[in-house]
């Protein structure tokens, strides 16, 4: 099954069912453009046998980053680096889909001093996350416009499509959540209002890009947070997406409060069984005909082929296994007994455990991007400390770029007024 091709509703054909899921690379230049290292990373992944690649999250608003080093579009006036990134999988016939994101309240203090969100409700960890400001109606329309404008640029650069990040507790997921979104206007309250942002973004992107351009969504099967969006509401959204010419739904789950996408906080039996969201994918399958990508916890060829042949999903999303073995898809395709490598990773205890784990895996991307092999040992806590130091430098560089950008746009305003 894994080796079978698949054609998405937009006509894009994928040579097999293995998808590289999004992993934030944080390798952009100060001006937000893709760097040669980032492009090399995707060339390397494309050689590993994967059928389709999703980028890590790309910011639709350069002032609202998920992390320093996110790709942005401020310098799209010079599209060459974006074009080269879009072409990184072409030689191997592997399409690249750009994940578009707005972090909302889930940006750490060092990245966003004043985050925005549907309502002024902060994450419990106030030391690292500032309380957000509630968005105005005008700002919500600007955000929709930012997603649409980003998707048009992605299409113009030659990428195969976009994936709208509506999962993991970022801005769109915050709108979907009844305990983060307590607005009383047309963007809050009943599900039809809470999902309006996502639906508007999809509708307007679809109307602005060619029909052959893929438009997908990463959606939580559930937030796994008390009072958050549950599986029943997620299923209703999937039903709506069915009518919007969506090319795929990637099923994931959780938020920063409960990082279920990494299996954290899920029952032991679910974590040990492969495919954290397998039951929820089965539920999704009953309500939508949109191709489904199941992501999270899948490790063996047997489990992946089982999920595909049972019909609960159409593609398998893999993240951590590819960060430690970019050629894992080749092994999966040639060996029915293949299983992902489990690195010997020392994780800190407590709430920073998942963040440290993510940063350790992200550091493997750094190694791959410069032609090194992943390092299968190491301490995730050290990865966290190294990231904090790296962020100081990336943050200084980024702020200097933003100041220069503001100065030059003021100067050109003055010139045009004169
Ligand atoms: C280093 C790293 C970075 C990630 N960055 C993103 C991201 O930018 N966007 C996203 O939707 N998910 C991100 N994820 C989550 C993965 O896409 C995936 O949902 C999760 O890791 C579960 O899949 P796995 O069990 O195959 O790793 C990231 C995961 C890792 C390991």
């Amino acid at each position: 099954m894994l080796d079978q091709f698949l054609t998405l509703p937009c006509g894009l054909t994928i040579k097999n069912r293995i998808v590289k899921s999004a992993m934030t690379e944080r390798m952009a230049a100060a001006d937000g453009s893709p760097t040669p290292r980032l492009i090399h990373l995707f060339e390397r992944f494309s050689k590993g046998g994967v059928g389709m690649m999703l980028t890590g999250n790309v910011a639709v608003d350069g002032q609202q980053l998920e992390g320093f080093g996110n790709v942005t579009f401020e310098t799209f006036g010079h599209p060459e680096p974006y074009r080269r990134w879009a072409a990184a999988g072409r030689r191997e016939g592997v399409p690249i889909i750009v994940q578009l994101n707005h972090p909302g309240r889930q940006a750490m203090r060092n990245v966003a001093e004043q985050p925005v969100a549907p309502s002024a409700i902060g994450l419990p960890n106030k030391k690292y996350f500032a309380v957000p400001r509630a968005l105005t109606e005008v700002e919500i329309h600007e955000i929709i416009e930012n997603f649409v404008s980003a998707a048009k640029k992605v299409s113009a650069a030659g990428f195969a499509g976009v994936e709208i990040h509506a999962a993991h507790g970022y801005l769109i997921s915050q709108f979907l959540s009844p305990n983060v979104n307590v607005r009383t206007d047309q963007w809050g309250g009943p599900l039809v209002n809470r999902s309006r942002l996502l639906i508007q973004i999809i509708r307007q992107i679809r109307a602005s890009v060619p029909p052959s351009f893929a438009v997908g969504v990463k959606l939580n099967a559930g937030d796994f947070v008390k009072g958050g969006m549950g599986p029943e509401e997620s299923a209703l959204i999937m039903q709506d997406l069915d009518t919007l010419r969506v090319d795929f739904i990637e099923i994931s789950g959780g938020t920063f409060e409960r990082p279920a996408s990494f299996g954290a906080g899920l029952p032991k039996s679910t974590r040990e069984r492969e495919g954290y969201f397998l039951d929820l994918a089965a539920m999704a399958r009953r309500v939508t005909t949109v191709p489904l990508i199941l992501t999270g916890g899948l490790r063996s060829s047997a489990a992946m082929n089982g999920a595909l042949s049972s019909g609960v999903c159409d593609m398998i999303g893999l993240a951590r296994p590819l960060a430690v073995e970019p050629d894992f898809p080749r092994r999966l395709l040639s060996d029915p007994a293949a299983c992902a490598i489990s690195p010997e990773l020392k994780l800190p205890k407590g709430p920073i455990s998942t963040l440290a784990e993510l940063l350790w895996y992200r550091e493997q991307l750094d190694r791959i991007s410069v032609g090194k092999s992943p390092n299968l040992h190491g301490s995730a806590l050290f990865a966290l400390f190294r990231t904090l130091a790296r962020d100081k430098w990336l943050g200084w560089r980024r702020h200097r770029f933003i100041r220069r950008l503001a100065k030059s746009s003021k100067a050109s305003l003055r010139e045009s007024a004169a």
Side-chain angles (χ1 to χ4, degrees), residues 107-138:
M108 288 175 82
R109 269 184 195 276
N110 63 337
V111 182
E113 275 168 27
Q114 181 53 81
V116 291
S119 307
I121 298 174
L123 283 158
N125 189 341
K126 303 274 182 302
K127 186 169 169 211
Y128 295 111
F129 296 92
V131 175
R133 177 175 65 71
L135 286 160
T136 64
E137 175 98 24
V138 171

Side-chain angles (χ1 to χ4, degrees), residues 37-75:
R37 281 178 56 188
L38 180 60
I39 295 161
H40 181 255
L41 177 71
F42 278 76
E43 283 167 353
R44 178 64 189 89
F45 277 130
S46 76
K47 290 180 184 147
V50 73
M52 180 165 92
M53 300 188 283
L54 299 168
T55 70
N57 65 72
V58 163
V60 295
D61 176 348
Q63 307 279 0
Q64 301 285 338
L65 305 180
E66 163 267 345
F68 290 124
N70 284 164
V71 169
T72 63
F73 293 100
E74 288 114 334
T75 57

Side-chain angles (χ1 to χ4, degrees), residues 22-24 57 99 165 218 261-262 295-297 299 319-320 358:
M23 286 188 271
T24 186
N57 65 72
Q99 185 182 64
H165 199 345
K218 188 164 187 172
S261 62
F262 272 37
T295 300
R299 298 295 176 263
R320 286 167 292 177
L358 182 141

Side-chain angles (χ1 to χ4, degrees), residues 260-263 266 270-271 273-278 296-297 299 320:
S261 62
F262 272 37
L266 296 179
T270 311
R271 268 183 288 127
R273 173 198 74 190
E274 289 186 43
Y276 307 142
F277 309 111
L278 200 59
R299 298 295 176 263
R320 286 167 292 177

